Amino acid sequence: MPFGLLKYGLARTYPGKNLFGESRSLKQSYDVVIIGAGGHGAACAYYLAKEYGITNVAVLDKGYLGGGNTARNTAVLRSNYLTEEGVAFYKASLELYKSLSNELGLNIMFEQRGQLTLAHSDAAVRNLRWRAEVNQHLGVRSELMFNDEIAQMVPHLRMDTAARYPILAGLWHADGGTARHDAVVWGYAKEAAARGVEFHQLTEATGIDIDHGKVTGVRTTRGDISCGKVIQAVAGSSSVVGNMAGIKLPIHTFPLQAMVTQPYKPLLEPHISSPHHHVYIHQTSRGEFVIGGGSDPYPLYNTRATLPMRETLSAAVLELFPFLREARVMRQWAGITDMTPDYSPIMGESPVQNYYLDAGWGTWGFKATPISGMTMAELVATDRVPELIAPFSLDRFYRFEQVNEAGATAASH
Amino acid sequence: MKTLLCPLNGIRNIDEFIYGGEYHVEPDRKQVDRKAWAEHVFFDTNSAGVVTEWWCHTPSSFWFLADRDTVTDEVINTYPFSIDPVER
Ligand SMILES: Cc1cc2nc3c(=O)[nH]c(=O)nc-3n(C[C@H](O)[C@H](O)[C@H](O)COP(=O)(O)OP(=O)(O)OC[C@H]3O[C@@H](n4cnc5c(N)ncnc54)[C@H](O)[C@@H]3O)c2cc1C
């Protein structure tokens, strides 16, 4: 046994370093309060501190650090979206992921094993071709792939033309990948805390104080705070928290479920997604198959997992990988996701002055963690809306200018 | 929620139903301004609590209303549209 471990075991007080700052009482006032200590809240705090020297910041969470959707997602990273606004934004995020382990001093286990999105109909092939064109135009590695190549790359995939919905083609996205989701939020929080940002867990925001249209404070279960600016980054609670500030959002809240099998030897290299079957799958570096799909059939604020969802996910994935019929499902879980009508986020200013929104991340927001943190920090620090997020303002629904990513998102994440 | 009480067909398996969105009173199309129309089209209260919603029993194409708790997933009441949910 290594000596270090023995020292841990025998020590009277915890010898490890608390990476996220000691727990302490809330101060009466902060320059900035961030509601929600998920990846997005932590990343925003980090960039506020690092890029703009704003460190009198409290990040509040009603649960624990990164215990929301950051802990529950299937960690798919990609930038092969359909709109120019979407592709540019997610591409910038993927660029940040590449150097994130070094930047945060923590291995986020970023891997680019690529993603293959399958088409089982002519209409879907057309859609993939369209995406490939937009992606290539914006410098994203994305191309149409046909069956002989697919069979070579993914030998276990069922290419049988007698299948009910045979595979016709795929969109190969060499930039696609995964990262260790927990490490991302831990890394950001660690580096933000090292610069003086306070993380307050088990601290729920219960009200927003507004004076003459301007935010002045946040009420919490541990006392009231006054503050200059507030960012809400609460994922599945966006409508509930927005409502505290009197802000109505075009969001519907649905559970999203996923499950994981027992570990296998490495045999599936890329991530495979089938929008037609509403399923996606990849093999983790530990060997487990992570399987996810579409949202629950109706809205709910509840993280229960259901048997019908396990049945539909299993049936769908067996269409693609029949060998998995032997696999045991080890865990199944759900997160609460805030879905927008156009499958793009809602970022930027709100009707309340100095109150900023980082919401509407639905089933796709983990991949955006670095870039959303960076752009939200820029907005809050400079009061200028960064170009990358201007298309995602809440205002777009009043202008009827949606950024439609539904076709490039459903069951792809 | 595993079953739902359809006001026309009685208790049925939840698989026979589809969810149709929150119930709103549609604004008067002749008078409505852009802002109110945008809110009618895109925005909902999306409350964590009891919400009145549209549901459809798909085999019979019968649309009706349900009061459902979006936290516990309990259905409090289902009734045909002819009963105005605001008046009730
Ligand atoms: C099953 C599943 C699979 C997914 N797969 C992918 C994927 O493969 N790729 C991808 O890009 N995205 C995926 N997503 C989406 C992704 O997880 C989210 O969009 C993203 O994690 C949102 O990050 P966040 O930091 O905004 O939210 P969260 O991590 O949920 O953080 C929000 C925090 O706010 C806190 N909070 C809420 N209300 C309050 C309050 N009143 N006061 C204080 N704190 C509050 C919560 O406790 C929570 O910790 C998936 C989601 C799920 C559920």
Side-chain angles (χ1 to χ4, degrees), chain A residues 239 252-253 298-299 301 398, chain B residues 39 42 44 46 68 70-71 73:
Chain A
S239 294
H252 298 96
T253 301
Y298 56 86
Y301 285 92
Y398 291 105
Chain B
E39 292 198 346
F42 299 121
D44 274 324
N46 194 34
R68 185 176 65 97
T70 57
V71 179
D73 206 13

Side-chain angles (χ1 to χ4, degrees), chain A residues 60-401:
Chain A
L60 315 179
D61 203 289
K62 69 174 179 188
Y64 57 94
L65 179 71
N69 287 350
T70 299
R72 296 159 195 274
N73 73 82
T74 48
V76 178
L77 311 177
R78 64 185 180 94
S79 56
N80 59 352
Y81 281 78
L82 183 59
T83 67
E84 291 195 24
E85 297 88 336
V87 175
F89 177 76
Y90 295 107
K91 177 176 182 241
S93 207
L94 229 57
E95 286 303 319
L96 291 173
Y97 265 111
K98 286 184 187 165
S99 53
L100 207 55
S101 292
N102 281 334
E103 170 145 13
L104 301 178
L106 192 73
N107 187 359
I108 63 153
M109 299 167 82
F110 176 62
E111 295 183 88
Q112 280 182 302
R113 288 199 259 143
Q115 185 188 49
L116 183 66
T117 307
L118 302 173
H120 306 255
S121 71
D122 290 337
V125 177
R126 247 187 337 267
N127 175 279
L128 295 188
R129 199 186 290 277
W130 177 10
R131 273 167 72 183
E133 293 294 333
V134 174
N135 294 167
Q136 285 168 21
H137 178 65
L138 294 168
V140 165
R141 288 189 290 168
S142 176
E143 62 189 283
L144 219 58
M145 188 180 259
F146 291 97
N147 285 8
D148 42 346
E149 281 177 287
I150 293 177
Q152 232 170 37
M153 176 186 272
V154 196
H156 299 277
L157 187 61
R158 181 176 178 216
M159 303 300 296
D160 192 346
T161 50
R164 185 160 176 216
Y165 299 107
I167 294 166
L168 302 182
L171 183 68
W172 172 239
H173 178 37
D175 294 325
T178 55
R180 170 99 199 270
H181 40 35
D182 300 316
V184 172
V185 60
W186 293 339
Y188 275 123
K190 169 174 85 81
E191 288 304 299
R195 289 168 171 80
V197 170
E198 293 179 14
F199 284 84
H200 292 280
Q201 308 186 72
L202 299 174
T203 308
E204 181 172 356
T206 53
I208 309 291
D209 290 325
I210 295 167
D211 188 22
H212 291 92
K214 193 169 167 177
V215 69
T216 57
V218 177
R219 299 191 187 176
T220 83
T221 45
R222 289 174 60 218
D224 300 347
I225 318 172
S226 70
C227 60
K229 297 188 172 185
V230 174
I231 303 149
Q232 78 157 73
V234 293
S237 303
S238 297
S239 294
V240 175
V241 174
N243 197 31
M244 294 177 195
I247 300 167
K248 214 173 163 189
L249 295 170
I251 282 176
H252 298 96
T253 301
F254 287 80
L256 178 68
Q257 305 188 35
M259 62 191 198
V260 71
T261 68
Q262 67 189 101
Y264 279 78
K265 285 180 185 166
L267 55 85
L268 178 61
E269 171 113 5
H271 175 96
I272 307 289
S273 163
S274 168
H276 184 102
H277 285 300
H278 284 283
V279 77
Y280 62 89
I281 177 168
H282 62 258
Q283 190 174 21
T284 69
S285 38
R286 275 198 303 229
E288 302 155 336
F289 287 95
V290 175
I291 302 165
S295 303
D296 270 28
Y298 56 86
L300 195 67
Y301 285 92
N302 198 318
T303 52
R304 90 277 183 270
T306 65
L307 188 58
M309 188 52 80
R310 188 187 322 179
E311 280 183 333
T312 47
L313 286 178
S314 304
V317 85
L318 290 181
E319 289 286 328
L320 305 177
F321 294 104
F323 79 88
L324 281 173
R325 67 181 172 269
E326 307 290 344
R328 272 165 207 270
V329 172
M330 307 297 280
R331 295 185 298 283
Q332 184 193 1
W333 65 92
I336 305 179
T337 61
D338 46 349
M339 304 296 288
T340 56
D342 57 0
Y343 284 60
S344 284
I346 298 170
M347 300 179 76
E349 292 163 316
S350 80
V352 176
Q353 225 185 318
N354 290 352
Y355 190 95
Y356 304 89
L357 298 167
D358 178 64
W361 287 109
T363 60
W364 56 85
F366 172 66
K367 70 182 69 62
T369 304
I371 196 65
S372 78
M374 185 179 258
T375 49
M376 288 303 294
E378 182 181 342
L379 169 63
V380 170
T382 66
D383 261 326
R384 279 191 311 271
V385 181
E387 218 178 291
L388 267 186
I389 64 169
F392 303 130
S393 70
L394 174 59
D395 222 34
R396 74 179 183 272
F397 295 97
Y398 291 105
R399 288 184 273 112
F400 295 87
E401 284 174 13

